[in-house]
Amino acid sequence: MLTGRRYLLAFTPEQETLAELIGDACRAVWNTALEQRRAYRQRGAFTGYVEQARQLAEAKKDFPWLAEAPSHTLQQTLRDLEKACKTHGTFKVRWRSKRKSPPSFRFPDPRHLAVERVSHRWGRVRLPKLGWVRFRWTRPLGGRVRNATVRKDGRRWYIAFCVEDGLVELAPNGKAPVGVDRGVKVAVVTSGGWMCDREFFTPGETIRLKRLQQQLARQRKESTRRAATRAKLARLNARIRNRRADFLAWTANRLTRDHGLIVVEDLKVKNMTASAKGTMERPGSRVRQKAGLNRAILAKGWGGLLTALEHKARYNGSRVVRVPAAYTSQRCSACGQVDAKSRESQAVFACTSCTYAGNADVNAAKNILAAGLAVTGRGDLAIGRSAKRQPPETRAA
Ligand SMILES: [Zn+2]
């Protein structure tokens, strides 16, 4: 199976300058090619990867700085753009700004890469144009390298190898199914009542973040101090991101290890209405206390959790099913009645038609599990569903 391995790079100053240059070139290629695609579309024409790659080769003669970057990384940028345009539509794909998108480029051909371990703590990789680059050997590579992506995160540079680890997908582990909901008070809640959460900001970091943002708002544009503040913010955000990634991987591994089927709400449905402040149906809690910080982080983390679950499921013999999330927080998991009044408070669910009462998030997770079981045909259909399935004449009688 394909998996990712990320290491911290130790560029020499010259290598770092060159890496920035390559990043700039890839960004320029992305933006120019996107602009061209849009212009074509506006007059009813089309241009694609093959044509753009040909033009790129031509452009190198006129722009020597383009030739500084390895041609494969530039072509890969065009391929990524083609994929993005096909998935999201040419006019929805974003520009890459120097400020908002850190340098990132991929070496798609493993024949141009060589990786070796040089000592207990260090490894090195040979990259086109950059030469041998050292990186911190923090974990074994565990397989054959397929490609490599170099990316700047905060102030640091990383290399991520895509590795074929030679493992085969595990057979179904036959363990109990579970429903998972994005909780209000905690990040992840299961139908079995397991709750999992982590603070992504320490109190000190919350204060520091606020102060840095205020500083940024005061500082003059293009000033050196502003750039310094921005760098500090980027470092802080990178730390939070790492913490979140760690939490998601840990949670996903735990869930897929202990369960054979994991039912989650489909991202698209919630995503349209969800914000840091929550929704009408389910307003976010602690919005004032934390200014929605952790909640906003979680809103982002949910997509990451789905990805992590699907990845880990293949290693743990588990399966992930997505279901639409309509009414999961208003429906009673015991009798199936939907009533907004049943939601007594943020945390408590008390059914208005039967005696069921309990944690509101656990109730929602139970509904999600029931919906998943109905979809996969592994459980009884919900009461509401089976009524609809009756032939019309019986219903009329
Ligand atoms: Zn009920």
Side-chain angles (χ1 to χ4, degrees):
M1 285 190 281
L2 293 178
T3 185
R5 295 269 187 278
R6 195 171 85 137
Y7 303 90
L8 183 63
L9 282 175
F11 277 139
T12 63
E14 296 80 45
Q15 284 172 333
E16 186 166 0
T17 314
L18 183 51
E20 291 276 4
L21 241 157
I22 298 172
D24 284 346
C26 287
R27 181 170 42 239
V29 164
W30 174 280
N31 288 338
T32 314
L34 178 59
E35 197 178 347
Q36 191 189 42
R37 275 173 179 267
R38 288 187 177 177
Y40 268 66
R41 286 289 301 278
Q42 267 161 353
R43 51 187 158 89
F46 176 79
T47 183
Y49 170 74
V50 177
E51 173 58 20
Q52 291 194 319
R54 196 190 57 74
Q55 289 181 14
L56 177 67
E58 289 288 310
K60 275 190 183 169
K61 291 175 197 151
D62 302 325
F63 303 101
W65 55 270
L66 261 183
E68 298 250 328
S71 28
H72 281 86
T73 57
L74 297 176
Q75 285 162 11
Q76 184 60 43
T77 305
L78 287 178
R79 268 197 210 101
D80 291 343
L81 177 67
E82 171 133 315
K83 200 174 166 202
C85 286
K86 274 189 179 151
T87 319
H88 307 290
T90 310
F91 290 91
K92 290 224 171 110
V93 174
R94 300 243 189 116
W95 305 110
R96 289 194 175 164
S97 80
K98 171 120 187 157
R99 195 152 57 76
K100 283 185 188 158
S101 37
S104 164
F105 45 90
R106 176 175 299 170
F107 299 93
D109 194 339
R111 284 171 302 178
H112 300 158
L113 307 166
V115 186
E116 53 184 48
R117 190 165 183 178
V118 288
S119 72
H120 180 60
R121 291 180 67 185
W122 292 95
R124 62 175 191 166
V125 53
R126 199 186 60 227
L127 299 169
K129 304 255 180 183
L130 286 158
W132 286 104
V133 186
R134 305 213 308 159
F135 63 87
R136 285 289 304 278
W137 190 278
T138 36
R139 61 191 294 199
L141 208 52
R144 208 158 41 82
V145 171
R146 295 282 294 265
N147 61 54
T149 305
V150 172
R151 180 176 312 213
K152 195 177 187 182
D153 191 358
R155 241 193 216 173
R156 294 169 155 186
W157 289 85
Y158 292 89
I159 186 159
F161 295 108
C162 175
V163 171
E164 170 56 69
D165 59 13
L167 296 174
V168 286
E169 210 166 307
L170 217 64
N173 63 22
K175 290 180 181 166
V178 72
V180 178
D181 188 32
R182 185 189 342 180
V184 168
K185 285 251 154 62
V186 293
V188 170
V189 180
T190 72
S191 52
W194 183 62
M195 297 184 188
C196 187
D197 200 8
R198 190 178 305 174
E199 297 289 332
F200 297 105
F201 291 85
T202 64
E205 281 167 348
T206 313
I207 297 167
R208 183 142 178 267
L209 187 74
K210 203 172 169 193
R211 208 178 49 224
L212 285 173
Q213 276 164 347
Q214 284 167 348
Q215 259 178 31
L216 196 71
R218 276 199 310 270
Q219 282 161 340
R220 220 159 17 86
K221 271 194 177 170
E222 315 296 332
S223 72
T224 330
R225 279 162 184 271
R226 191 182 167 91
T229 312
R230 187 165 281 132
K232 280 180 198 160
L233 263 171
R235 271 212 307 283
L236 185 58
N237 282 326
R239 196 191 303 162
I240 310 296
R241 256 201 313 282
N242 287 341
R243 223 173 267 163
R244 187 175 71 217
D246 176 62
F247 168 77
L248 294 178
W250 185 88
T251 311
N253 189 41
R254 180 116 187 207
L255 283 168
T256 50
R257 193 193 62 196
D258 297 344
H259 300 280
L261 175 75
I262 293 149
V263 189
V264 289
E265 54 187 0
D266 203 349
L267 183 67
K268 277 173 255 155
V269 182
K270 265 274 170 77
N271 210 15
M272 286 187 286
T273 48
S275 77
K277 284 186 179 134
T279 59
M280 287 276 282
E281 183 201 346
R282 185 188 259 200
S285 72
R286 304 188 298 180
V287 170
R288 273 234 303 279
Q289 293 94 316
K290 295 187 146 183
L293 263 183
N294 265 1
R295 180 135 179 92
I297 292 282
L298 289 178
K300 279 187 192 165
W302 188 246
L305 181 65
L306 299 194
T307 314
L309 278 173
E310 269 154 11
H311 177 72
K312 298 275 183 195
R314 299 186 303 160
Y315 286 88
N316 287 327
S318 187
R319 221 180 119 202
V320 181
V321 172
R322 303 178 184 209
V323 294
Y327 302 115
T328 46
S329 62
Q330 293 178 16
R331 177 177 285 125
C332 170
S333 61
C335 71
Q337 162 165 291
V338 178
D339 184 0
K341 290 196 200 80
S342 296
R343 193 70 189 270
E344 224 170 50
S345 69
Q346 273 307 306
V348 180
F349 183 94
C351 183
T352 51
S353 119
C354 76
T355 54
Y356 178 84
N359 180 292
D361 293 328
V362 175
N363 178 63
K366 282 181 177 170
N367 286 326
I368 289 169
L369 173 61
L373 292 178
V375 169
T376 54
R378 274 181 62 174
D380 296 318
L381 291 168
I383 294 163
R385 283 274 298 255
S386 52
K388 266 188 210 154
R389 290 248 172 131
Q390 283 170 355
E393 53 271 27
T394 354
R395 225 191 297 167

